[in-house]
Amino acid sequence: MKRFTRQDQDGSVTEQAPPAGTPDLAPQDAGAPQLGSAPADGELGSVRASAPGSTPRASLPGGDTADVIVVGAGPAGSAVAYYLATAGLDVLLLEKTHFPREKVCGDGLTPRAVKALTGMGVPLPENDGWLRNRGLRIIGGGGRIELDWPELSSYPGYGLVRARTDFDQILARHAEKAGARLLEGVPVTGPLLDDRTGRITGVTTKDGRQFRGRLVVAADGNSSRLSVAMGLHKREDRPLGVAVRTYYASPRHDDDYLEAWLDLWDGSSLLPGYGWIFGMGDGTSNVGVGLLNTSAGFGDIDYRDLLRRWLATMPAEWGFVEENRTQPIRGAALPMAFNRTPHYTRGLLLVGDAGGMVNPFNGEGIAYALESAEIAARVIVQALARTTASGSELVLQTYRRQLKDAYGGYYTLGRVFVELIGKPSFMRFATKHGVKRPAVMRFSMKLLGNLTETRGGDAVDRLLNAVSKMTPAA
């Protein structure tokens, strides 16, 4: 799939790779064991802006200043801002739009994401729009099975559904409460660079302002204009997905299970992906399809039409017809398996979708956005506590390794997986013979959801953890 860049009227650079047939495709904000525990004293709670060796903010020339500038207030950006503010750092969080705002997403949160939210102290009461679910209902190859989320000490045994229209806003406000400074309606157009070193020292915005900081975090989603401007482009050797979704008024709005359909056909070809129906609990269902670029005709498929054709096969009483559609059909690219690297360079750290951290097995991005944000925050806190610039840089360079340790082997397995299911014969075999076998599907749920005990566990947990560790990092 070809990549191209565009110079916008505001002077910013955007990297895009829109699939055919999806004219309103929009960038998606976006991917070690789960790191979502609350910060303890002495970890993320002890470093201040006046730490030894830090540059006093008063000495930074021009515009507004902060210890760390975070570009993008999606899940990754708000999470890293929350953790840094909790540590006592001065954090400036810049969001190009105003809340509430729309993002293309399935709105489903796995137990991995739930743990990360709980670790951040985000309240998740059921009476405030957080709809719980028990697991997955998988349909395909003539079979149908309901799988409860595994009961693990590492992760809760339930998932959640929450619309992105206010999910991102909740996280951004949570970061504000922790002390982060949030500015909405501030599109970042590019980096400020040190002429001598090429190191990023801040950002410029559409209205001509300059914001300067000791470090900058790119949390600006799939297209990541800031990363592109720093010379970090998407990798062609990594998988890319596309998600297209909309909402319908439907009696299927209240369901104990997230539902995934594996029978997505383009003529006589079974496509590598799935369709989903996620009840929102408010009278509507989030309905969509997700596909991988390992299919032969990926760039030629009309995804909106594919969604309509798939929904036409659903029972009429479910109400998935045009007169019941409550939102436009929108699409987004899903950057998978570290499809933009390096994740740290010259004072810039990439988190979430900006670093291509979507799970290639299932298209999940929010959990990895939250987790990578915490990893980045821990690195930043330790780096800014060092007394010399060389010491700080030594710590910052570990961010790449920590991400590889966390996800590298698993993402490599995911790359093999997406190549396999890109072959129609393998996809037909797996769908036909897998869905009807509960043991196989329970194994698949743990593998595809990355839900194993981080230590010990049953035989499946130990096998999956061992294989991930032995597999070369992505």
Side-chain angles (χ1 to χ4, degrees):
M1 192 170 185
K2 294 182 179 179
R3 179 185 72 238
F4 64 91
T5 58
R6 182 189 72 201
Q7 187 79 17
D8 294 336
Q9 292 180 349
D10 61 9
S12 60
V13 179
T14 303
E15 179 181 61
Q16 297 180 326
T22 313
D24 56 358
L25 190 73
Q28 166 88 352
D29 273 328
Q34 166 69 27
L35 296 172
S37 57
D41 290 342
E43 294 180 359
L44 283 185
S46 59
V47 177
R48 297 285 164 182
S50 58
S54 65
T55 302
R57 289 194 297 275
S59 70
L60 293 170
D64 203 350
T65 64
D67 292 314
V68 183
I69 296 172
V70 180
V71 179
S78 291
V80 74
Y82 162 79
Y83 283 116
L84 293 174
T86 301
L89 292 175
D90 180 24
V91 187
L92 186 59
L93 179 59
L94 304 178
E95 167 58 35
K96 66 181 179 180
T97 62
H98 292 272
F99 292 111
R101 51 117 164 98
E102 180 69 286
K103 284 291 178 181
V104 176
C105 187
D107 298 333
L109 301 168
T110 69
R112 196 174 185 101
V114 175
K115 180 179 181 180
L117 292 170
T118 302
M120 289 175 61
V122 177
L124 306 173
E126 291 185 77
N127 61 0
D128 189 31
W130 297 93
L131 182 66
R132 291 195 180 192
N133 56 72
R134 293 175 54 185
L136 293 175
R137 180 183 301 114
I138 301 174
I139 301 166
R144 172 189 176 99
I145 188 170
E146 290 182 349
L147 300 167
D148 288 353
W149 297 115
E151 280 291 341
L152 304 170
S153 64
S154 301
Y155 303 99
Y158 66 92
L160 293 169
V161 171
R162 184 83 191 204
R164 286 291 296 272
T165 49
D166 67 352
F167 176 80
D168 289 13
Q169 181 176 8
I170 290 170
L171 294 189
R173 301 292 180 241
H174 192 65
E176 274 193 301
K177 290 178 181 177
R181 293 184 286 141
L182 171 65
L183 296 182
E184 300 176 48
V186 181
V188 169
T189 54
L192 290 171
L193 300 177
D194 184 283
D195 291 336
R196 183 177 59 85
T197 65
R199 189 178 183 86
I200 189 169
T201 58
V203 296
T204 60
T205 62
K206 187 175 181 180
D207 60 6
R209 283 186 287 176
Q210 295 184 352
F211 296 93
R212 297 178 182 267
R214 299 163 64 197
L215 292 171
V216 178
V217 176
D220 48 347
N222 166 62
S223 61
S224 191
R225 296 180 175 188
L226 190 58
S227 300
V228 172
M230 289 283 288
L232 304 179
H233 298 280
K234 294 175 183 174
R235 296 181 55 162
E236 301 295 341
D237 62 340
R238 299 299 160 90
L240 181 74
V242 166
V244 178
R245 71 98 176 92
T246 188
Y247 295 85
Y248 290 89
S250 170
R252 297 290 316 275
H253 75 97
D254 194 5
D255 195 337
D256 285 337
Y257 291 87
L258 303 177
E259 189 165 283
W261 292 64
L262 304 183
D263 291 333
L264 284 182
W265 295 87
D266 184 32
S268 60
S269 297
L270 184 59
L271 298 173
Y274 63 92
W276 70 78
I277 302 172
F278 296 169
M280 302 301 297
D282 61 356
T284 67
S285 292
N286 180 319
V287 181
V289 296
L291 296 174
L292 294 161
N293 66 346
T294 48
S295 61
F298 175 78
D300 301 318
I301 296 172
D302 185 333
Y303 300 93
R304 291 152 55 102
D305 182 63
L306 176 65
L307 175 61
R308 293 189 180 100
R309 285 188 280 120
W310 174 61
L311 291 178
T313 68
M314 298 297 159
E317 60 268 24
W318 291 0
F320 298 143
V321 293
E322 279 300 296
E323 53 265 35
N324 291 338
R325 185 159 60 85
T326 62
Q327 296 289 335
I329 299 175
R330 293 189 171 97
L334 303 176
M336 297 176 168
F338 293 156
N339 86 335
R340 182 180 278 112
T341 56
H343 292 110
Y344 169 74
T345 182
R346 294 176 290 148
L348 179 73
L349 296 92
L350 278 56
V351 293
D353 283 11
M357 298 184 200
V358 173
N359 184 341
F361 284 102
N362 64 2
E364 178 183 16
I366 290 177
Y368 302 93
L370 300 175
E371 292 178 13
S372 64
E374 186 179 4
I375 296 172
R378 288 182 174 175
V379 169
I380 290 169
V381 166
Q382 293 300 324
L384 295 187
R386 293 298 177 98
T387 58
T388 64
S390 60
S392 293
E393 187 66 17
L394 192 64
V395 176
L396 291 167
Q397 290 291 341
T398 69
Y399 181 54
R400 305 179 193 179
R401 176 181 54 75
Q402 291 190 44
L403 287 177
K404 285 191 174 185
D405 288 347
Y407 311 120
Y410 179 75
Y411 282 173
T412 297
L413 292 176
R415 290 163 58 195
V416 175
F417 171 79
V418 299
E419 290 295 330
L420 286 174
I421 66 172
K423 305 178 187 301
S425 58
F426 179 86
M427 188 67 181
R428 281 195 296 271
F429 178 86
T431 302
K432 180 179 179 180
H433 297 285
V435 176
K436 300 174 183 178
R437 290 170 169 78
V440 171
M441 295 311 295
R442 283 192 290 271
F443 175 91
S444 299
M445 173 186 260
K446 284 195 169 186
L447 172 63
L448 273 60
N450 200 7
L451 294 171
T452 60
E453 293 286 15
T454 54
R455 302 189 190 286
D458 61 19
V460 171
D461 296 336
R462 295 193 297 272
L463 173 63
L464 293 177
N465 290 340
V467 171
S468 292
K469 290 178 181 178
M470 290 187 296
T471 303

